[in-house]
Amino acid sequence: MTETKFNNESGKVPDLQPLKSYYERHVFFCLNERKNGEPCCAQYQAQQAFDHCKTQVKAAGLAGPGQVRVNKAGCMDRCAAGPVLVVYPEAVWYTYLDNADIDEIVASHLKNGQVVERLLIPPTLGR
Amino acid sequence: MTETKFNNESGKVPDLQPLKSYYERHVFFCLNERKNGEPCCAQYQAQQAFDHCKTQVKAAGLAGPGQVRVNKAGCMDRCAAGPVLVVYPEAVWYTYLDNADIDEIVASHLKNGQVVERLLIPPTLGR
């Protein structure tokens, strides 16, 4: 992994300038389960999709610092679009139906930096 | 909230260009608890710090789309620096000791965009 380098000469961390991200892409899956009957990502096999994504990223040799981290997360409050995941630092939000969708996100976005447009969440869809 | 606008004229999502983030800042706290005796963020009152952060962000009127989301997360694999949180899309990683540290992150970074340098994690510190 390349060390973070600050891009000015003072050695100070510049506010809100892009730093080199510890992970090139950090993926968060909502795995939230609601017990009160309200819709939640866990109803849509989010755990299974998370496991599949983690396995595929590892198998592709993409896992680790300087590359990709696939992470569990709680509710990200965009339930109306669920199940959801988000890829940072790009802040690209996806929904998915099945393993084929996850495979496409891995092969296209996580490996090659190409956004999978058909799986993007409508930009204002929240809870 | 302002709708996401793509910054080219074709209407297509540009690959890896910065999109407007659904949350201006999305904060993830590792709340991972290990049962096997290995160190984990949960040992360091991560849940309490998460709760405190969420309360402070809400009290400051910063919570919601277009503003700040404080999120639970699983292990982010930087355990040697724990307890940890990360702020995206800036990809700024912090550690913290107590509520005063959380308050400073909220007031400085989440509210005013000023990185809290003293709480930054050494850039290569991982698991």
Side-chain angles (χ1 to χ4, degrees):
Chain A
M1 193 197 117
T2 308
E3 279 201 12
T4 295
K5 289 192 171 59
F6 304 132
N7 55 0
N8 63 10
E9 297 183 356
S10 70
K12 286 193 62 178
V13 178
D15 289 333
L16 299 185
Q17 295 299 307
L19 304 179
K20 175 144 180 78
S21 187
Y22 182 76
Y23 297 116
E24 185 183 16
R25 298 196 173 93
H26 200 164
V27 184
F28 293 89
F29 276 78
C30 174
L31 299 183
N32 193 47
E33 183 176 4
R34 294 187 197 280
K35 305 289 190 184
N36 63 1
E38 289 178 22
C40 61
C41 290
Q43 290 178 325
Y44 300 100
Q45 286 76 50
Q47 178 72 50
Q48 190 278 331
F50 165 79
D51 292 339
H52 181 73
C53 187
K54 214 163 166 76
T55 300
Q56 294 305 108
V57 163
K58 194 170 178 183
L62 299 175
Q67 299 193 91
V68 176
R69 172 75 180 174
V70 181
N71 223 100
K72 297 181 184 180
C75 179
M76 300 195 285
D77 218 28
R78 300 197 69 181
C79 316
V84 301
L85 63 86
V86 60
V87 183
Y88 280 112
E90 296 107 315
V92 172
W93 292 76
Y94 290 114
T95 189
Y96 55 85
L97 276 178
D98 52 26
N99 284 351
D101 288 347
I102 299 297
D103 290 345
E104 187 171 347
I105 290 168
V106 172
S108 178
H109 189 151
L110 302 185
K111 186 170 182 184
N112 290 320
Q114 302 290 314
V115 170
V116 184
E117 299 188 31
R118 71 178 184 87
L119 298 176
L120 291 175
I121 292 175
T124 58
L125 205 54
R127 182 163 184 175
Chain B
M1 194 197 118
T2 307
E3 278 201 15
T4 296
K5 288 192 172 59
F6 304 133
N7 54 0
N8 63 10
E9 296 183 357
S10 71
K12 285 193 62 178
V13 178
D15 289 332
L16 300 187
Q17 296 298 307
L19 304 179
K20 175 145 181 74
S21 187
Y22 182 77
Y23 297 116
E24 184 183 17
R25 299 199 171 91
H26 200 163
V27 184
F28 294 89
F29 276 78
C30 174
L31 299 184
N32 193 45
E33 181 175 6
R34 295 188 197 280
K35 305 288 190 184
N36 62 2
E38 289 177 24
C40 61
C41 290
Q43 291 178 324
Y44 300 100
Q45 286 76 49
Q47 178 71 50
Q48 190 277 332
F50 165 79
D51 292 339
H52 182 73
C53 187
K54 213 161 167 76
T55 300
Q56 294 305 108
V57 163
K58 194 169 179 185
L62 299 175
Q67 300 194 89
V68 176
R69 173 75 180 173
V70 181
N71 224 100
K72 296 180 185 182
C75 179
M76 300 194 286
D77 219 27
R78 300 196 70 182
C79 317
V84 300
L85 64 86
V86 59
V87 182
Y88 281 111
E90 296 108 314
V92 172
W93 293 76
Y94 290 114
T95 188
Y96 56 85
L97 275 179
D98 52 25
N99 284 352
D101 288 348
I102 299 298
D103 290 345
E104 188 170 348
I105 291 168
V106 172
S108 178
H109 190 151
L110 302 184
K111 185 169 182 184
N112 291 321
Q114 302 289 315
V115 170
V116 183
E117 299 187 32
R118 72 179 184 85
L119 298 176
L120 290 174
I121 292 175
T124 58
L125 205 55
R127 182 164 185 172

